[in-house]
């Protein structure tokens, strides 16, 4: 089912979970968005009646059958601090799904998912889609500087020639049968102590040429992280799609408030993250 429409929904809050590190998961009723959302797409949400501007959040999960979507958000400023006060049964208004989303390449049978901080949610969605629709064997790296918003424990999956002390893996990814590891600058047990792109590079170095040829990177996170991931992709000649979480205003292409610079035939052109993205090939992004 293909539909590029953006719907406006008045949705009841079905669940609202509050976790350490100012992280929250909210489940919203969704007649339409749940049917058409793809990993990397986002919703534009009115956090409360008194906050005029909507705020963008990636869809983390969507149930077509039960007609709901979930987002994971971190409290940051006025909008998200109002949102955390919303209760189950309240109604919220949002537009969605917006944007292009990741596109899984059929030839690249080893998806490498790299998510940092609030860039983790779209990759959780991507992992679920891979589980449901492909025979691919992804490898998944998540990084966070606050307590991870899920349980993790030593993985039952070994990775050949990889850092033996790095064992931590999220419970729900393990349940999908996928290999995963975690990174943080904090001293979290079993996690790689350092940056997530370094962890990913350690893994890339374990691959032979045939395997490397099958890898495609899908990544989302803060700009410095995406820049570092893009450099790793370039170094190893790996295709790479990045989901950019740029500041936004209208989210429908009308205000040019979300411009990113793109390389196009030796020229630098401006693209709008909301309607031309938020997912772009990393090789096209112009980092100053
Ligand atoms: C496509 C996309 C997907 C996103 N997905 C998530 C997600 O899944 N979970 C999550 O926690 N956050 C996500 N963000 C970031 C989230 O939108 C901001 O944290 C949020 O807008 C902050 O609002 P605030 O009112 O609390 O902060 P304020 O600082 O009060 O917001 C002021 C303005 O700045 C904008 N702004 C501030 N920080 C950001 C930022 N990092 N990115 C974009 N706009 C920002 C806001 O939209 C608002 O217009 C996403 C952003 C984009 C663009
Ligand atoms: S936010 Fe207005 S054009 Fe993208």
């Amino acid at each position: 089912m293909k539909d590029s429409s953006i719907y406006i929904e008045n949705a009841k809050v079905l669940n609202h979970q509050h976790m350490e590190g100012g992280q929250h998961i909210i489940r919203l009723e969704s007649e339409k968005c749940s049917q058409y959302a793809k990993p990397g797409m986002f919703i534009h949400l009115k956090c409360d009646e008194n906050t005029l501007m909507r705020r963008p959040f990636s869809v983390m999960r969507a149930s077509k059958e039960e007609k709901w979507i979930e987002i994971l958000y971190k409290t940051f400023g006025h909008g998200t601090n109002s949102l955390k006060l919303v209760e189950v049964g309240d109604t919220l208004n949002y537009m969605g799904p917006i944007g292009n989303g990741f596109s899984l390449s059929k030839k690249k049978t080893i998806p490498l998912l790299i998510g940092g901080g609030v860039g983790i949610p779209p990759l959780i969605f991507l992992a679920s889609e891979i589980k449901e629709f492909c025979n691919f064997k992804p490898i998944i790296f998540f990084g966070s500087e606050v307590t991870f918003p899920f349980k993790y424990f030593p993985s039952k999956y070994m990775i050949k020639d990889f850092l033996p002390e790095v064992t931590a893996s999220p419970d729900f990814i393990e349940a999908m049968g996928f290999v995963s590891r975690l990174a943080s600058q904090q001293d979290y047990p079993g996690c790689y102590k350092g940056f997530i792109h370094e962890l990913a590079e350690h893994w890339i170095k374990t691959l032979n040429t045939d395997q490397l040829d099958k890898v495609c990177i899908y990544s989302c996170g803060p700009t410095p992280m995406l820049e570092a991931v893009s450099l790793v992709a370039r170094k190893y000649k790996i295709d790479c799609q990045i989901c950019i979480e740029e500041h936004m205003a209208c989210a429908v292409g009308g205000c040019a408030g979300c411009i990113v610079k793109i390389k196009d035939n030796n020229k630098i052109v401006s693209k709008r993250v909301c309607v031309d993205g938020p997912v772009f090939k990393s090789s096209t992004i112009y980092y100053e």
Side-chain angles (χ1 to χ4, degrees):
M1 204 163 22
K2 203 166 185 289
D3 190 319
S4 54
S5 306
I6 296 172
Y7 298 95
I8 298 186
E9 308 218 47
N10 262 326
K12 208 168 249 175
V13 175
L14 300 174
N15 200 355
H16 203 174
Q17 245 179 292
H18 308 283
M19 290 160 295
E20 274 181 63
Q23 299 170 102
H24 314 261
I25 296 178
I26 194 162
R27 182 178 290 189
L28 300 167
E29 267 180 352
S30 173
E31 276 289 322
K32 293 287 189 182
C33 188
S34 60
Q35 306 303 307
Y36 302 108
K38 295 275 169 230
M41 289 178 149
F42 65 96
I43 61 165
H44 212 29
L45 176 71
K46 209 160 167 18
C47 295
D48 73 316
E49 277 309 311
N50 305 317
T51 309
L52 194 65
M53 300 285 286
R54 294 168 184 269
R55 303 292 192 255
F57 300 98
S58 299
V59 178
M60 179 171 73
R61 291 191 182 95
S63 170
K64 284 193 170 80
E65 296 73 31
E66 296 174 15
K67 298 189 176 168
W68 53 254
I69 57 162
E70 257 179 14
I71 60 168
L72 185 158
Y73 69 95
K74 203 154 133 187
T75 38
F76 185 80
H78 174 75
T80 46
N81 274 298
S82 308
L83 186 58
K84 79 172 181 214
L85 304 176
V86 162
E87 290 178 3
V88 172
D90 289 352
T91 299
L92 287 175
N93 182 279
Y94 64 86
M95 296 159 48
I98 308 175
N100 56 357
F102 290 108
S103 122
L104 279 170
S105 161
K106 284 196 183 116
K107 287 188 195 147
K108 303 289 179 180
T109 54
I110 310 180
L112 163 53
L113 278 52
I114 307 175
V118 294
I120 292 175
L123 297 173
I124 291 180
F125 196 1
L126 186 62
S128 315
E129 291 270 297
I130 293 172
K131 177 75 188 163
E132 199 169 342
F133 300 112
C134 314
N135 285 324
F136 298 167
K137 286 275 172 235
I139 175 118
I140 301 168
F141 296 118
F142 291 146
S144 180
E145 295 316 313
V146 295
T147 310
F148 283 95
F150 41 71
K151 290 199 182 83
Y152 58 91
F153 50 74
S155 177
K156 64 180 181 208
Y157 301 111
M158 297 294 291
I159 309 176
K160 200 167 165 268
D161 302 327
F162 191 65
L163 310 164
E165 71 284 7
V166 181
T167 56
S169 171
D171 55 353
F172 69 99
I173 297 286
E174 198 88 358
M176 288 180 185
F178 293 158
V179 181
S180 180
R181 293 292 187 270
L182 303 175
S184 178
Q185 307 272 38
Q186 318 302 317
D187 259 325
Y188 296 144
C191 297
Y192 176 78
K193 193 164 190 307
F195 291 118
I196 192 169
H197 69 279
E198 297 165 354
L199 179 63
E201 188 169 2
H202 276 292
W203 175 77
I204 289 167
K205 283 181 182 162
T206 68
L207 304 179
N208 60 36
T209 324
D210 270 2
Q211 291 167 320
L212 200 56
D213 201 38
K214 293 183 184 134
V215 176
C216 181
I217 296 176
Y218 304 88
S219 187
C220 186
T223 305
M225 184 203 112
L226 292 181
E227 203 169 338
V229 168
S230 303
L231 285 175
V232 170
R234 193 164 75 189
K235 181 171 168 189
Y236 294 92
K237 297 188 173 56
I238 299 174
D239 287 357
C240 175
Q241 298 173 25
I242 54 173
C243 181
I244 298 179
E245 298 194 336
E246 191 47 73
H247 284 51
M248 259 174 212
C250 73
V252 288
C255 73
C258 61
I259 294 298
V260 67
K261 287 181 182 167
I262 297 283
K263 289 178 266 178
D264 185 12
N265 286 330
N266 296 328
K267 279 190 293 187
I268 307 294
V269 297
S270 294
K271 293 277 179 190
R272 294 157 302 178
V273 173
C274 61
V275 288
D276 301 318
V279 177
F280 294 90
K281 283 185 183 170
S282 70
S283 56
T284 65
I285 300 286
Y286 174 72
Y287 291 110
E288 291 179 61

